Structure formats: C-alpha cells, structure tokens
Amino acid sequence: MLCMYRNASPLWLDMAALIRGLRAGRALRGLGGVAVQGTLSPQCSNVRRGFHRAALLRLASDSKSDTSVPPPSYREVHTAGESSSSSAQGESSEDAQPNTSFQDQSGEHGEDYETEEQLQARILTAALEFVSQHGWTVEAIAAGAETLGLSSASTGMFNNGAGDLVLHFVAQCNAQLAETLAEQNNQVQLGQAESKKTGEFLKDAVETRLRMLVPYIDTWPQAMSILLLPHNIPDSLKHLSTMVDDIWYYAGDRSTDVNWYTRRAALTGIYNTTELVMVQDSSPDFEETWAFLDNRIKDVVNMANTAKQVQATGEAVVQGLMGAAITLKNLTGMNQRR
Amino acid sequence: MHRFVRPQLLLRDSKQPLLPTAGQLCTNHKSVVSSVRGYVVLPPTNDEEEKAMLHRMMRVDHAGEYGANRIYAGQMAVLGHTQISPLIQEMWDQEKQHLRKFNEILAENRVRPTLLLPLWNIAGFALGAGSALLGKEGAMACTVAVEESISEHYNCQIRTLMEKDPEKYTELLQLIKEFRDDEMEHHDTGLEHDAESVPGYQLMKAIIQAGCKAAICVSESL
C-alpha cells in the first residue's frame, strides 16, 4: 500500500501516508471495492486512485448535504463530527477521504480537494453566527472555526483578521444579490414577470441588499469602520463598484458614454447614504430608511429627467440661433457659395 | 482571408461587412446577456487577466472610434458645404458603423468605457474643425495622420492576439482586421486627395500622431 505514495519526498508526508494507508485499507474493505496492488505502475495506480476518488466523493456528496469536501488533515482533530445526518456509509466514505486527497497534497490540487480558499470561506461563514456575540472580530472567527471542529488557532490563516470576515460577508451578500437579480431578470425574459421601471428597480435592488444587513445591524457600524480602514479600502471599493455595476446592468443600463459613470456614481451615493440612515434607524422594519431611499431615488430620476429636458431645450435654442444667423446672412447677402 | 480589395471610392452597398444589422437585446431571449446574433466577438473566459486584457483592448478601440467620429464631425462642420463633403460624409458613416459595433461589444461584455470620453469628444471635434480650417488638404492630412495611427494600433492588437491564441480569438481578429482595412482605405483616400500638399504636412502629421499615441496609451487604463 505504501509504495503507492513513493512519489512524495518529505518525511512527514510518509508518516501521514502511514496513517492514511491504514485508513484507506479500512475504507476499501468497507467498500468491498477493487484491491489495490503495490506492484502496479505509477500511472495505473494514479488512474485507479482517480476512480476511487470519484466513487468516494459521489458517496460523500450523496450522504451529506453540503458540497465541499472536508480536508483530511483536519479530520484527525475532528471530535464532535458533522451534525448533519451522516449515515454509516457516509462515515466510512468520509474516513476514506484522506486516502484520496493525499496525492493532491504532494502534487497538484485536484478539483475534488478543498482549497484553502474554500476552507476559509467555510470558516468565515460559520463565524458569522457569532458576530452578534463577539462583534466583527477575530474572536468570532475563532468561534466559527471551533464549530467546524478546527482549533481556534486557525484564525492565523486570516492575515487581515476581522477585515477578512467583513469582506467575506460583503462578498456573500453581493453574490446573493446578483443571483436574485439574475433570477428576476430571467423571469422577466420568460414573460413570467413584469419588468419594473428603472426607479422602482433600483429601489427594490438596494432594499434587497440592505435587508441582508438586518441580522447584523447592531454591529454594522463596527463593520463599516473596518471597511474604511486604509488597507481594506481597495477591496471594499471593489465590492461596492461591482455591486453597483451589477444593479445597473440588470436595471437595463447599456450606456457606453459618460452616463456609465454618472449613473454608477449616483447609485453609489444613494446606497452609502441609505446604509448610514439604516444603522441609526429605530423605526419598525426600518420604514424611515425605505422612505429615505425612495426620496433619494426620486431625486435622481428627477435630475435625470431635468437633464434631458435641459439638453432638449438647449438643442432647440441652438437651432433657433442658427436659423437666425442664416436669416441674417441671407438678408445681408453674405450667404453666397464660394 | 482578405475579403476586401481596396477600391478607389467605395460605395456603401458594395461592402458586405461582418457587422450584422440588429444589435438590440432581444427581449424574448431567455438568457440575460445575448443579442440576436449567433456568435460572440469576445470569447468568454474565466481568467481574470485575460478578461482584463480584452476589456482594455475594447475600451481603447471604443475610445478610438469615438474620437474618429468626432474628428469627422468637426471636419464636416467646417467643410460641410464644399465639394469634398460627400467623401468626408462617407468616411464618417463608416466610422459611425464601427462605433456602433464597439458600443454593442461594450454593452454585451459589460466593459467600462473610458472616463476621458468627454475629453476625446472636445479634442476630436477641435482637431477635425481646426484641420479643416486649413482647407480640404488640411482635413485630408489630418485624416491621413489619424488613420495611420489607428491602423498601426489595430495591427499591434492583431499581433498580440495572434501571438496568444489565433484560434480562440478568431471572431475578434476578424473584426479588428476588417476595421483596420477600413481605416487603411481612409488613409489611402486621404493621400489621394492631396493630403501631402498642405504646408507643414510633416510637422502636422508628427504632432497629430504623437497626440493619438498618447490618447491610446491613456485610454487603455483610465
């Protein structure tokens, strides 16, 4: 069994291989699957491992509801186990994961191995539940890591600490918003829903996005101040601009001139001011916030209409002046073709 | 596959361009980002760097066509009632078509247009009008300089895309080649109509080309 892992050079990997080899033996017996022979050539065993991996993952995904595969190294410290309804089959397939993912540690990352980013995302998502308790801090991340069975020292993974948590939350909300908007758009394209006017669409989109803050509204000022820290500003601006771009895109904006900028700037202003109103709003269900939002959107729509009218008037005035100039030229006889 | 031979003075109907006529978003279409066309110019990609590169290219091309539009508008404003006006009008119409195409691409692929568009608006119009005030030869000289810059820029882009992956960027390459051929035609037309006989031709050409190069550089990122 161990000669399968001869490809890995570091000593500690050999030790881990020993442990995984033992586990793999148990798993393969449990599966009643193919017997792996040590005499196989490396390529053959790789292919064989690939099939094992696929089969085990299929079992894992069938038995568990979440999609990410837990990394093997953390399984060893895992005490409580997943709270999901893991059947015996699920248990054995989960134990067998270490077998399949080891090869990835020594070599390239396979698609079926959880990357560090995925793990970080899982920890941060779990940490969100502790924000009301600990605030947007590293303690919340530690608490989240502990619910996943990892030690609280995993917060060392996050160089930015609380900033990582807030940015993760913002990214999550924006992704959710984009999904909602795309779904609504599909509905409209399929004719199952009426398309909204621009003002109403913007209002609904901003309201949808801001409502995602409601569970965390008490600690949101802390999060906002974290986002304003100098080293977080590039990321938070990026998230904000992507969100505003998404909203305008689904609102139907296809402009390719300076309007692209003015519209996004206007919506950014609306969003930020409404967010500020929301954090100090104590009315039931944030009625005052939505009323404020409504008024701001109306202002912007009015401004846009006024701008259009001014432009039309300006053009008419120019036409009039040109007509007057040509009449003058005719009268004075200057309008001769050279 | 060079489809177009350069005629002396081409008429609108004789060309069979790749550009389709309809560019509106079809409201009956199920997917969000689609038009009536069957093909997509920019290949869809998940690689951030590649996407950024393609967006930069489209941004600067869009800015270029917008500027060219304004230059011809300026020239027409001054020379609109002279003998040369049908020629300038025709070249302008072609540039309008190019601009429409880039507008479509930008809208579909959610590319940000350059922030300096108002600047190119004014600068282009001023350049066109200013060169036209030197007479028909001045206007032609300006056309020659600008079209040469733009052709060179398109050639650079074609080289870059060919180096990367000619097969992946087939449609995009086709589009840029077509536009480059159009711009070369304008360049040749300008030369034919006594562009070089304007006093200070070399100086004027050098200044305009330097300006174009700077504009291209800046519009890529800003």
Side-chain angles (χ1 to χ4, degrees), chain A residues 182 185-186 188-190 242 245-247 249-250 253-258 260-261 337-338, chain B residues 25-33 62 81 103 106-107 110-115 117-118:
Chain A
N185 194 37
N186 273 341
V188 171
Q189 303 280 29
L190 293 172
T242 320
D245 187 36
D246 278 340
I247 295 180
Y249 176 75
Y250 287 111
D253 174 46
R254 299 287 181 275
S255 54
T256 51
D257 52 4
V258 79
W260 193 95
Y261 289 92
R337 191 170 271 273
R338 263 184 272 132
Chain B
L25 277 176
C26 182
T27 50
N28 292 328
H29 226 279
K30 289 200 178 180
S31 66
V32 174
V33 186
H62 173 257
H81 299 292
N103 278 336
L106 255 66
R110 299 176 62 170
V111 180
R112 171 179 67 88
T114 171
L115 185 55
L117 280 178

Side-chain angles (χ1 to χ4, degrees), chain B residues 29-122:
Chain B
H29 226 279
K30 289 200 178 180
S31 66
V32 174
V33 186
S34 72
S35 71
V36 184
R37 293 178 296 161
Y39 73 98
V40 190
V41 176
L42 290 195
T45 172
N46 281 328
D47 180 18
E48 285 302 319
E49 259 185 56
E50 190 188 342
K51 200 166 105 157
M53 178 204 77
L54 287 173
H55 280 211
R56 266 200 307 274
M57 287 174 63
M58 290 298 106
R59 188 173 309 133
V60 70
D61 287 348
H62 173 257
E65 294 297 343
Y66 183 78
N69 246 282
R70 296 307 296 156
I71 291 176
Y72 283 121
Q75 289 184 348
M76 279 303 281
V78 174
L79 296 171
H81 299 292
T82 62
Q83 278 181 329
I84 199 72
S85 92
L87 180 67
I88 301 181
Q89 181 65 48
E90 194 198 321
M91 294 200 285
W92 189 14
D93 288 338
Q94 270 186 314
E95 299 293 350
K96 280 188 196 153
Q97 206 186 19
H98 291 185
L99 182 63
R100 213 173 304 140
K101 179 67 182 173
F102 277 121
N103 278 336
E104 270 175 36
I105 296 179
L106 255 66
E108 257 182 28
N109 293 283
R110 299 176 62 170
V111 180
R112 171 179 67 88
T114 171
L115 185 55
L116 301 168
L117 280 178
L119 177 61
W120 304 145
N121 185 355
I122 300 174

Side-chain angles (χ1 to χ4, degrees), chain B residues 150-164:
Chain B
I150 291 189
S151 302
E152 204 182 298
H153 166 69
Y154 280 147
N155 278 335
C156 260
Q157 288 192 337
I158 292 173
R159 269 195 289 273
T160 312
L161 291 174
M162 293 287 255
E163 272 165 28
K164 281 198 192 291

